[in-house]
Amino acid sequence: MTDNHYSRNPVTDVSSSLMKCYESNTASSTSTYTVSAGSTIGFKADQALYHQGYLDIYMGKANPSANTESAGSGAVWFKVAEWVPTWSKSAGFGWPSENQQTFTFTVPSCIPAGTQFHSFLEGLLADREPFASKGDYLVRIEHIALHAASTFGGAQLYIACAQIK
């Protein structure tokens, strides 16, 4: 359960340790779900997103496992889905995540091994298999609300994670 479960407050300090999953000391009390590469998974908010902003979903290799506090630390995250703002001359900005409550994506069938791109390149250069899909991962959804972003520290990040194997 995220630290903002009841308050619904955002993270506004991007250097905070809460940027990982907006939780502290709860990893061991959560469940890890088994999913297959290529399957569709997602997040459902308890209410529709009402702030205009950018939404993305990341996955990160969890070491030693997804239900440890160190999981998701370091350069392990890679983006798997995004809902980006659109713009047209006639309508102005469009916000695909606004007023949405459910966000789904397909789990990649090829996941970079180890850290985000370093192990991928090492795998290519060492003539090794550059992808690994087995193991524990964190899946993080991140909505960056921009309604107050005109001031320093004004962007509001609403974050939650799931643990998968």
Side-chain angles (χ1 to χ4, degrees):
M1 180 180 307
T2 60
D3 287 355
N4 70 338
H5 177 75
Y6 296 109
S7 71
R8 297 189 178 143
N9 290 330
V11 174
T12 56
D13 177 2
V14 296
S15 64
S16 168
S17 63
L18 294 176
M19 281 295 297
K20 184 170 47 171
C21 286
Y22 207 145
E23 61 185 35
S24 53
N25 301 317
T26 60
S28 63
S29 63
T30 57
S31 300
T32 301
Y33 293 92
T34 301
V35 300
S36 299
S39 61
T40 299
I41 63 172
F43 291 87
K44 182 177 181 180
D46 61 354
Q47 66 184 37
L49 301 182
Y50 56 89
H51 294 307
Q52 296 174 337
Y54 177 89
L55 186 131
D56 46 28
I57 299 177
Y58 294 90
M59 289 180 64
K61 183 73 173 146
N63 284 318
S65 65
N67 62 349
T68 58
E69 297 301 325
S70 62
S73 297
V76 298
W77 298 97
F78 53 96
K79 189 182 296 185
V80 293
E82 62 185 353
W83 287 257
V84 297
T86 59
W87 187 85
S88 72
K89 220 177 212 185
S90 60
F93 278 106
W95 306 93
S97 62
E98 188 176 25
N99 297 316
Q100 300 300 311
Q101 190 173 4
T102 303
F103 301 92
T104 61
F105 72 99
T106 302
V107 176
S109 58
C110 293
I111 297 174
T115 60
Q116 186 173 357
F117 294 108
H118 303 294
S119 292
F120 172 72
L121 293 174
E122 288 170 4
L124 288 176
L125 297 174
D127 224 12
R128 293 181 288 153
E129 177 62 38
F131 294 106
S133 59
K134 295 186 180 195
D136 286 8
Y137 289 85
L138 291 178
V139 182
R140 179 179 76 210
I141 189 168
E142 178 181 285
H143 177 65
I144 306 170
L146 300 174
H147 62 286
S150 63
T151 60
F152 179 77
Q156 299 177 351
L157 293 96
Y158 295 88
I159 301 167
C161 284
Q163 299 171 170
I164 64 171
K165 181 179 296 228

PDB file of all heavy atoms in Angstrom, residues 71-92:
ATOM      1  N   ALA A  71      14.433  -3.413  -3.794  1.00  0.00           N
ATOM      2  CA  ALA A  71      13.921  -3.625  -5.154  1.00  0.00           C
ATOM      3  C   ALA A  71      13.653  -2.284  -5.814  1.00  0.00           C
ATOM      4  O   ALA A  71      13.144  -1.352  -5.194  1.00  0.00           O
ATOM      5  CB  ALA A  71      12.644  -4.453  -5.114  1.00  0.00           C
ATOM      6  N   GLY A  72      14.016  -2.162  -7.070  1.00  0.00           N
ATOM      7  CA  GLY A  72      13.774  -0.932  -7.817  1.00  0.00           C
ATOM      8  C   GLY A  72      14.807   0.142  -7.586  1.00  0.00           C
ATOM      9  O   GLY A  72      14.650   1.257  -8.069  1.00  0.00           O
ATOM     10  N   SER A  73      15.876  -0.175  -6.875  1.00  0.00           N
ATOM     11  CA  SER A  73      16.929   0.813  -6.627  1.00  0.00           C
ATOM     12  C   SER A  73      17.915   0.831  -7.786  1.00  0.00           C
ATOM     13  O   SER A  73      18.224  -0.209  -8.362  1.00  0.00           O
ATOM     14  CB  SER A  73      17.676   0.486  -5.334  1.00  0.00           C
ATOM     15  OG  SER A  73      16.786   0.564  -4.237  1.00  0.00           O
ATOM     16  N   GLY A  74      18.380   2.008  -8.119  1.00  0.00           N
ATOM     17  CA  GLY A  74      19.378   2.150  -9.177  1.00  0.00           C
ATOM     18  C   GLY A  74      18.757   2.286 -10.551  1.00  0.00           C
ATOM     19  O   GLY A  74      17.560   2.509 -10.708  1.00  0.00           O
ATOM     20  N   ALA A  75      19.588   2.120 -11.565  1.00  0.00           N
ATOM     21  CA  ALA A  75      19.182   2.310 -12.966  1.00  0.00           C
ATOM     22  C   ALA A  75      18.596   1.031 -13.540  1.00  0.00           C
ATOM     23  O   ALA A  75      19.148   0.430 -14.450  1.00  0.00           O
ATOM     24  CB  ALA A  75      20.379   2.769 -13.791  1.00  0.00           C
ATOM     25  N   VAL A  76      17.465   0.597 -12.983  1.00  0.00           N
ATOM     26  CA  VAL A  76      16.838  -0.650 -13.417  1.00  0.00           C
ATOM     27  C   VAL A  76      15.539  -0.422 -14.186  1.00  0.00           C
ATOM     28  O   VAL A  76      14.966  -1.357 -14.727  1.00  0.00           O
ATOM     29  CB  VAL A  76      16.559  -1.587 -12.214  1.00  0.00           C
ATOM     30  CG1 VAL A  76      17.865  -1.976 -11.531  1.00  0.00           C
ATOM     31  CG2 VAL A  76      15.606  -0.944 -11.226  1.00  0.00           C
ATOM     32  N   TRP A  77      15.045   0.811 -14.226  1.00  0.00           N
ATOM     33  CA  TRP A  77      13.730   1.100 -14.792  1.00  0.00           C
ATOM     34  C   TRP A  77      13.774   1.299 -16.296  1.00  0.00           C
ATOM     35  O   TRP A  77      14.702   1.901 -16.826  1.00  0.00           O
ATOM     36  CB  TRP A  77      13.153   2.351 -14.136  1.00  0.00           C
ATOM     37  CG  TRP A  77      12.954   2.201 -12.666  1.00  0.00           C
ATOM     38  CD1 TRP A  77      13.797   2.621 -11.666  1.00  0.00           C
ATOM     39  CD2 TRP A  77      11.856   1.567 -12.008  1.00  0.00           C
ATOM     40  NE1 TRP A  77      13.279   2.287 -10.446  1.00  0.00           N
ATOM     41  CE2 TRP A  77      12.093   1.646 -10.618  1.00  0.00           C
ATOM     42  CE3 TRP A  77      10.696   0.952 -12.463  1.00  0.00           C
ATOM     43  CZ2 TRP A  77      11.212   1.125  -9.689  1.00  0.00           C
ATOM     44  CZ3 TRP A  77       9.819   0.439 -11.523  1.00  0.00           C
ATOM     45  CH2 TRP A  77      10.069   0.527 -10.159  1.00  0.00           C
ATOM     46  N   PHE A  78      12.755   0.812 -16.986  1.00  0.00           N
ATOM     47  CA  PHE A  78      12.583   1.058 -18.419  1.00  0.00           C
ATOM     48  C   PHE A  78      11.095   1.246 -18.689  1.00  0.00           C
ATOM     49  O   PHE A  78      10.236   0.629 -18.065  1.00  0.00           O
ATOM     50  CB  PHE A  78      13.177  -0.078 -19.275  1.00  0.00           C
ATOM     51  CG  PHE A  78      12.684  -1.444 -18.898  1.00  0.00           C
ATOM     52  CD1 PHE A  78      11.618  -2.027 -19.581  1.00  0.00           C
ATOM     53  CD2 PHE A  78      13.281  -2.172 -17.878  1.00  0.00           C
ATOM     54  CE1 PHE A  78      11.158  -3.296 -19.254  1.00  0.00           C
ATOM     55  CE2 PHE A  78      12.830  -3.440 -17.531  1.00  0.00           C
ATOM     56  CZ  PHE A  78      11.761  -3.996 -18.225  1.00  0.00           C
ATOM     57  N   LYS A  79      10.783   2.162 -19.616  1.00  0.00           N
ATOM     58  CA  LYS A  79       9.393   2.517 -19.897  1.00  0.00           C
ATOM     59  C   LYS A  79       8.744   1.467 -20.779  1.00  0.00           C
ATOM     60  O   LYS A  79       9.322   1.005 -21.754  1.00  0.00           O
ATOM     61  CB  LYS A  79       9.337   3.866 -20.605  1.00  0.00           C
ATOM     62  CG  LYS A  79       7.934   4.420 -20.733  1.00  0.00           C
ATOM     63  CD  LYS A  79       7.906   5.739 -21.474  1.00  0.00           C
ATOM     64  CE  LYS A  79       8.645   6.786 -20.713  1.00  0.00           C
ATOM     65  NZ  LYS A  79       8.557   8.115 -21.324  1.00  0.00           N
ATOM     66  N   VAL A  80       7.501   1.082 -20.423  1.00  0.00           N
ATOM     67  CA  VAL A  80       6.761   0.095 -21.202  1.00  0.00           C
ATOM     68  C   VAL A  80       5.472   0.649 -21.800  1.00  0.00           C
ATOM     69  O   VAL A  80       4.888   0.029 -22.685  1.00  0.00           O
ATOM     70  CB  VAL A  80       6.461  -1.183 -20.370  1.00  0.00           C
ATOM     71  CG1 VAL A  80       7.750  -1.919 -20.042  1.00  0.00           C
ATOM     72  CG2 VAL A  80       5.692  -0.861 -19.105  1.00  0.00           C
ATOM     73  N   ALA A  81       5.003   1.806 -21.314  1.00  0.00           N
ATOM     74  CA  ALA A  81       3.774   2.401 -21.858  1.00  0.00           C
ATOM     75  C   ALA A  81       3.730   3.876 -21.488  1.00  0.00           C
ATOM     76  O   ALA A  81       4.325   4.290 -20.487  1.00  0.00           O
ATOM     77  CB  ALA A  81       2.533   1.690 -21.307  1.00  0.00           C
ATOM     78  N   GLU A  82       3.022   4.658 -22.294  1.00  0.00           N
ATOM     79  CA  GLU A  82       2.869   6.073 -21.988  1.00  0.00           C
ATOM     80  C   GLU A  82       1.601   6.629 -22.622  1.00  0.00           C
ATOM     81  O   GLU A  82       1.140   6.147 -23.651  1.00  0.00           O
ATOM     82  CB  GLU A  82       4.082   6.879 -22.460  1.00  0.00           C
ATOM     83  CG  GLU A  82       4.309   6.850 -23.951  1.00  0.00           C
ATOM     84  CD  GLU A  82       5.578   7.558 -24.386  1.00  0.00           C
ATOM     85  OE1 GLU A  82       6.254   8.194 -23.565  1.00  0.00           O
ATOM     86  OE2 GLU A  82       5.904   7.476 -25.577  1.00  0.00           O
ATOM     87  N   TRP A  83       1.025   7.617 -21.973  1.00  0.00           N
ATOM     88  CA  TRP A  83      -0.121   8.371 -22.467  1.00  0.00           C
ATOM     89  C   TRP A  83       0.343   9.821 -22.500  1.00  0.00           C
ATOM     90  O   TRP A  83       0.342  10.516 -21.486  1.00  0.00           O
ATOM     91  CB  TRP A  83      -1.326   8.206 -21.539  1.00  0.00           C
ATOM     92  CG  TRP A  83      -1.983   6.874 -21.626  1.00  0.00           C
ATOM     93  CD1 TRP A  83      -3.154   6.592 -22.281  1.00  0.00           C
ATOM     94  CD2 TRP A  83      -1.542   5.634 -21.082  1.00  0.00           C
ATOM     95  NE1 TRP A  83      -3.453   5.261 -22.162  1.00  0.00           N
ATOM     96  CE2 TRP A  83      -2.469   4.642 -21.425  1.00  0.00           C
ATOM     97  CE3 TRP A  83      -0.434   5.251 -20.325  1.00  0.00           C
ATOM     98  CZ2 TRP A  83      -2.336   3.313 -21.048  1.00  0.00           C
ATOM     99  CZ3 TRP A  83      -0.298   3.930 -19.954  1.00  0.00           C
ATOM    100  CH2 TRP A  83      -1.234   2.978 -20.308  1.00  0.00           C
ATOM    101  N   VAL A  84       0.770  10.277 -23.674  1.00  0.00           N
ATOM    102  CA  VAL A  84       1.383  11.598 -23.802  1.00  0.00           C
ATOM    103  C   VAL A  84       0.362  12.635 -24.271  1.00  0.00           C
ATOM    104  O   VAL A  84      -0.585  12.294 -24.989  1.00  0.00           O
ATOM    105  CB  VAL A  84       2.590  11.565 -24.764  1.00  0.00           C
ATOM    106  CG1 VAL A  84       3.684  10.655 -24.228  1.00  0.00           C
ATOM    107  CG2 VAL A  84       2.179  11.121 -26.151  1.00  0.00           C
ATOM    108  N   PRO A  85       0.560  13.893 -23.873  1.00  0.00           N
ATOM    109  CA  PRO A  85      -0.342  14.943 -24.347  1.00  0.00           C
ATOM    110  C   PRO A  85      -0.280  15.069 -25.872  1.00  0.00           C
ATOM    111  O   PRO A  85       0.748  14.784 -26.497  1.00  0.00           O
ATOM    112  CB  PRO A  85       0.212  16.210 -23.689  1.00  0.00           C
ATOM    113  CG  PRO A  85       1.019  15.727 -22.532  1.00  0.00           C
ATOM    114  CD  PRO A  85       1.562  14.395 -22.937  1.00  0.00           C
ATOM    115  N   THR A  86      -1.379  15.476 -26.447  1.00  0.00           N
ATOM    116  CA  THR A  86      -1.444  15.735 -27.886  1.00  0.00           C
ATOM    117  C   THR A  86      -1.729  17.214 -28.083  1.00  0.00           C
ATOM    118  O   THR A  86      -2.121  17.917 -27.144  1.00  0.00           O
ATOM    119  CB  THR A  86      -2.561  14.900 -28.539  1.00  0.00           C
ATOM    120  OG1 THR A  86      -3.807  15.239 -27.925  1.00  0.00           O
ATOM    121  CG2 THR A  86      -2.295  13.411 -28.369  1.00  0.00           C
ATOM    122  N   TRP A  87      -1.540  17.692 -29.287  1.00  0.00           N
ATOM    123  CA  TRP A  87      -1.838  19.094 -29.578  1.00  0.00           C
ATOM    124  C   TRP A  87      -2.279  19.220 -31.027  1.00  0.00           C
ATOM    125  O   TRP A  87      -1.724  18.587 -31.926  1.00  0.00           O
ATOM    126  CB  TRP A  87      -0.614  19.973 -29.347  1.00  0.00           C
ATOM    127  CG  TRP A  87      -0.951  21.420 -29.487  1.00  0.00           C
ATOM    128  CD1 TRP A  87      -1.463  22.227 -28.518  1.00  0.00           C
ATOM    129  CD2 TRP A  87      -0.828  22.229 -30.657  1.00  0.00           C
ATOM    130  NE1 TRP A  87      -1.675  23.487 -29.014  1.00  0.00           N
ATOM    131  CE2 TRP A  87      -1.290  23.517 -30.339  1.00  0.00           C
ATOM    132  CE3 TRP A  87      -0.389  21.984 -31.947  1.00  0.00           C
ATOM    133  CZ2 TRP A  87      -1.322  24.561 -31.240  1.00  0.00           C
ATOM    134  CZ3 TRP A  87      -0.417  23.024 -32.860  1.00  0.00           C
ATOM    135  CH2 TRP A  87      -0.877  24.299 -32.502  1.00  0.00           C
ATOM    136  N   SER A  88      -3.285  20.038 -31.229  1.00  0.00           N
ATOM    137  CA  SER A  88      -3.703  20.395 -32.584  1.00  0.00           C
ATOM    138  C   SER A  88      -4.075  21.873 -32.588  1.00  0.00           C
ATOM    139  O   SER A  88      -4.438  22.439 -31.546  1.00  0.00           O
ATOM    140  CB  SER A  88      -4.897  19.545 -33.037  1.00  0.00           C
ATOM    141  OG  SER A  88      -6.074  19.936 -32.361  1.00  0.00           O
ATOM    142  N   LYS A  89      -3.968  22.473 -33.759  1.00  0.00           N
ATOM    143  CA  LYS A  89      -4.283  23.894 -33.903  1.00  0.00           C
ATOM    144  C   LYS A  89      -5.740  24.177 -33.549  1.00  0.00           C
ATOM    145  O   LYS A  89      -6.055  25.176 -32.919  1.00  0.00           O
ATOM    146  CB  LYS A  89      -4.006  24.324 -35.354  1.00  0.00           C
ATOM    147  CG  LYS A  89      -3.390  25.648 -35.479  1.00  0.00           C
ATOM    148  CD  LYS A  89      -3.109  25.932 -36.950  1.00  0.00           C
ATOM    149  CE  LYS A  89      -1.878  26.774 -37.053  1.00  0.00           C
ATOM    150  NZ  LYS A  89      -1.599  27.201 -38.401  1.00  0.00           N
ATOM    151  N   SER A  90      -6.613  23.283 -33.929  1.00  0.00           N
ATOM    152  CA  SER A  90      -8.042  23.517 -33.716  1.00  0.00           C
ATOM    153  C   SER A  90      -8.497  23.244 -32.279  1.00  0.00           C
ATOM    154  O   SER A  90      -9.359  23.942 -31.763  1.00  0.00           O
ATOM    155  CB  SER A  90      -8.870  22.665 -34.681  1.00  0.00           C
ATOM    156  OG  SER A  90      -8.597  21.302 -34.460  1.00  0.00           O
ATOM    157  N   ALA A  91      -7.919  22.246 -31.609  1.00  0.00           N
ATOM    158  CA  ALA A  91      -8.394  21.863 -30.279  1.00  0.00           C
ATOM    159  C   ALA A  91      -7.437  22.223 -29.155  1.00  0.00           C
ATOM    160  O   ALA A  91      -7.795  22.148 -27.991  1.00  0.00           O
ATOM    161  CB  ALA A  91      -8.679  20.369 -30.243  1.00  0.00           C
ATOM    162  N   GLY A  92      -6.201  22.563 -29.477  1.00  0.00           N
ATOM    163  CA  GLY A  92      -5.207  22.822 -28.434  1.00  0.00           C
ATOM    164  C   GLY A  92      -4.689  21.516 -27.858  1.00  0.00           C
ATOM    165  O   GLY A  92      -4.595  20.512 -28.557  1.00  0.00           O
TER     166      GLY A  92
END
